[in-house]
DNA sequence: TCAGACCCTCACAG
DNA sequence: ACTGTGAGGGTCT
C-alpha cells in the first residue's frame, strides 16, 4: 500500500464522486473506494487535502492528480462565471463540486449505457460490466475484489446477449458496435484530444448510441473541453426555471444560451446547475407547464 | 420540430 | 404481500 496527501482546498469529494460524472465510486467507512485504470484507490477528505491510498506501492501520483484535477485553479473557474443569481445560488449550495478528468473509453462506454437511466442504475450496469469483462486488480488485504473497466477489445468480443445480461437493455447493441469501431481502429479516441471541440464532437456523434448530449458529456468529463455543455432533462429544467421562468424557449434557443452565457468554463457551470437542481431544489422541479 | 420505440428496473400507489 | 403504473443524465427513425 501507499498513501499520499494531495494538497487542495474547496474540494467536496462526495459531491464530486457521486454527482453522476463517474460511476465507479462507493462510499465506504473511511472514504470513497473506486478503481482508476487498473488501480484500486481509496480517497478521504482531510483538513489539508485529499488522502489517497492505493493497493500497490508507488511513488507516482501524477495520474491521480490528473484524474482529480487537484492542481486546477479553482478560483479562476468561479471568477469566470457570469454574476447571475441562479449560478450564485448553485455555487453557494454546491461549493467544492469539481469536474474529474476520466479515461475516454470508460467515460464513453459508461454514458452510452446512461440514456434514460437513473444514476444508481447506471452504476449498477457499469459494475456488472466490470465484474463480467474487466480484469481483477490488486486490492488491500481484506477488501472485496475489484475489477478494471473492460477494454473495447474485450467488449467487442462479447455477444449482445452477454451485454444484455449486464442489464443494459437496448443500449447493448450500441455499446457493442461502438466497441468494435474503437477496437478495430476505425475511431481513434486518443486522437480526439488534438481536435477542436466541434470536430471532436462530430467524431463522437458518428458512434452508435452517441448523440449530442452524450458526446458533450465525454468531451467535458474525459477530454477536458471545459466549454462543452451537456443539456439533459435536469439542465433543461434548470435553464428554463432559473433563466427563462416566463417564456418557453425552444431547445435550439436553450442550446444557444448555454453556449454564449456561461463563458469558457461553461461545463463547470452546467455541473453546478445539474447538481443544484437534483439536490437542493428537487421539489421545485415538479411539472413545469 | 414531433412522436414512438427501445430494455429494464425501481419507487410508489392502490 | 401483491400487481399496476410511470419514468429514468437519450438516441434513432
Amino acid at each position: 500500500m501507499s498513501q499520499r496527501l494531495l494538497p487542495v482546498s474547496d474540494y467536496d469529494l462526495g459531491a464530486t464522486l457521486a454527482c453522476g460524472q463517474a460511476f465507479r465510486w462507493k462510499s465506504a467507512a473511511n472514504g470513497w473506494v473506486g478503481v482508476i485504470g487498473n488501480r484500486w484507490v481509496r480517497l478521504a477528505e482531510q483538513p489539508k487535502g485529499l488522502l489517497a491510498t492505493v493497493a500497490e506501492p508507488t511513488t507516482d501520483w501524477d495520474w491521480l492528480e490528473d484524474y482529480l484535477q487537484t492542481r486546477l485553479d479553482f478560483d479562476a473557474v468561479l471568477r469566470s462565471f457570469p454574476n447571475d443569481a441562479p449560478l450564485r445560488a448553485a455555487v453557494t449550495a454546491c461549493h467544492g463540486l469539481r469536474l474529474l478528468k476520466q479515461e475516454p473509453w470508460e467515460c464513453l462506454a459508461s454514458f452510452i449505457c446512461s440514456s434514460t437511466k437513473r444514476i444508481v442504475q447506471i452504476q449498477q450496469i457499469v459494475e456488472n460490466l466490470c465484474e463480467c469483462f474487466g480484469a481483477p486488480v490488486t486490492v488491500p488485504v481484506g477488501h472485496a475484489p475489484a475489477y478494471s473497466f473492460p477494454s473495447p477489445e474485450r467488449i467487442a468480443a462479447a455477444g449482445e446477449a452477454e451485454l444484455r445480461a449486464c442489464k443494459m437493455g437496448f443500449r447493448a447493441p450500441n455499446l457493442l458496435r461502438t466497441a468494435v469501431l474503437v477496437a478495430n481502429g476505425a475511431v481513434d479516441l486518443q486522437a480526439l484530444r488534438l481536435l477542436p471541440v466541434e470536430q471532436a464532437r462530430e467524431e463522437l456523434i458518428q458512434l452508435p448510441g452517441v448523440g449530442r448530449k452524450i458526446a458533450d458529456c465525454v468531451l467535458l468529463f474525459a477530454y477536458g473541453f471545459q466549454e462543452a455543455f451537456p443539456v439533459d432533462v435536469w439542465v433543461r429544467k434548470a435553464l428554463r426555471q432559473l433563466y427563462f421562468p416566463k417564456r418557453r424557449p425552444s431547445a435550439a434557443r436553450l442550446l444557444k444560451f448555454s453556449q454564449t452565457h456561461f463563458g469558457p468554463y461553461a461545463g463547470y457551470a452546467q455541473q453546478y446547475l445539474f447538481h443544484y437542481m437534483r439536490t437542493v431544489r428537487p421539489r421545485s422541479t415538479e411539472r413545469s407547464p
Side-chain angles (χ1 to χ4, degrees):
Chain A
M1 292 214 308
S2 290
Q3 282 200 326
R4 173 88 159 202
L5 181 69
L6 308 179
V8 67
S9 58
D10 301 315
Y11 205 117
D12 185 337
L13 195 57
T16 299
L17 298 180
C19 70
Q21 58 179 318
F23 302 101
R24 299 213 58 194
W25 294 96
K26 286 186 175 177
S27 180
N30 44 4
W32 291 80
V33 172
V35 175
I36 302 174
N38 55 7
R39 292 179 172 100
W40 179 97
V41 183
R42 183 172 61 214
L43 299 168
E45 266 186 51
Q46 295 209 332
K48 293 187 176 179
L50 302 176
L51 181 63
T53 307
V54 296
E56 296 187 288
T58 185
T59 55
D60 172 26
W61 298 93
D62 286 346
W63 56 276
L64 185 55
E65 296 199 298
D66 185 55
Y67 179 89
L68 294 169
Q69 293 284 291
T70 49
R71 292 174 176 167
L72 175 76
D73 186 347
F74 187 55
D75 286 333
V77 173
L78 299 182
R79 285 197 305 271
S80 77
F81 285 171
N83 185 20
D84 62 53
L87 201 49
R88 278 202 307 273
V91 168
T92 300
C94 313
H95 190 74
L97 178 64
R98 304 287 197 117
L99 289 184
L100 303 169
K101 191 165 184 184
Q102 304 176 58
E103 197 282 316
W105 165 247
E106 176 173 338
C107 186
L108 172 63
S110 298
F111 275 96
I112 286 175
C113 298
S114 76
S115 61
T116 49
K117 281 288 182 189
R118 297 179 187 179
I119 290 176
V120 286
Q121 294 177 309
I122 304 165
Q123 291 169 334
Q124 186 61 54
I125 293 169
V126 170
E127 183 173 3
N128 292 339
L129 269 177
C130 293
E131 287 182 2
C132 286
F133 306 113
V137 301
T138 304
V139 303
V141 176
H143 279 271
Y147 304 88
S148 64
F149 191 88
S151 67
E153 291 77 13
R154 183 65 190 88
I155 290 182
E160 182 181 323
E162 281 187 283
L163 295 180
R164 281 181 186 261
C166 294
K167 316 243 174 135
M168 69 180 68
F170 63 78
R171 303 153 195 83
N174 291 334
L175 179 62
L176 180 56
R177 290 166 59 205
T178 291
V180 169
L181 290 171
V182 174
N184 70 17
V187 173
D188 183 355
L189 292 182
Q190 296 308 321
L192 298 191
R193 296 182 188 284
L194 307 174
L195 298 178
V197 62
E198 297 84 1
Q199 286 182 33
R201 181 183 293 118
E202 287 302 311
E203 293 287 314
L204 288 170
I205 288 180
Q206 303 303 316
L207 297 167
V210 181
R212 171 73 191 235
K213 187 268 173 182
I214 289 176
D216 278 349
C217 284
V218 178
L219 292 172
L220 179 62
F221 300 143
Y223 290 104
F225 288 106
Q226 310 284 347
E227 67 270 47
F229 195 101
V231 178
D232 59 38
V233 290
W234 288 95
V235 173
R236 197 181 336 276
K237 275 182 193 169
L239 294 179
R240 284 189 170 148
Q241 288 186 14
L242 302 175
Y243 290 97
F244 301 94
K246 296 180 180 175
R247 279 177 282 173
R248 186 69 196 215
S250 67
R253 179 73 189 90
L254 284 181
L255 185 60
K256 182 72 176 175
F257 177 76
S258 74
Q259 290 179 311
T260 54
H261 180 70
F262 293 103
Y265 290 99
Y268 252 95
Q270 179 270 357
Q271 201 60 14
Y272 271 91
L273 293 174
F274 175 72
H275 198 246
Y276 180 58
M277 215 58 188
R278 281 174 38 86
T279 57
V280 183
R281 308 187 21 143
R283 295 181 56 79
S284 63
T285 65
E286 291 170 11
R287 65 176 64 233
S288 53

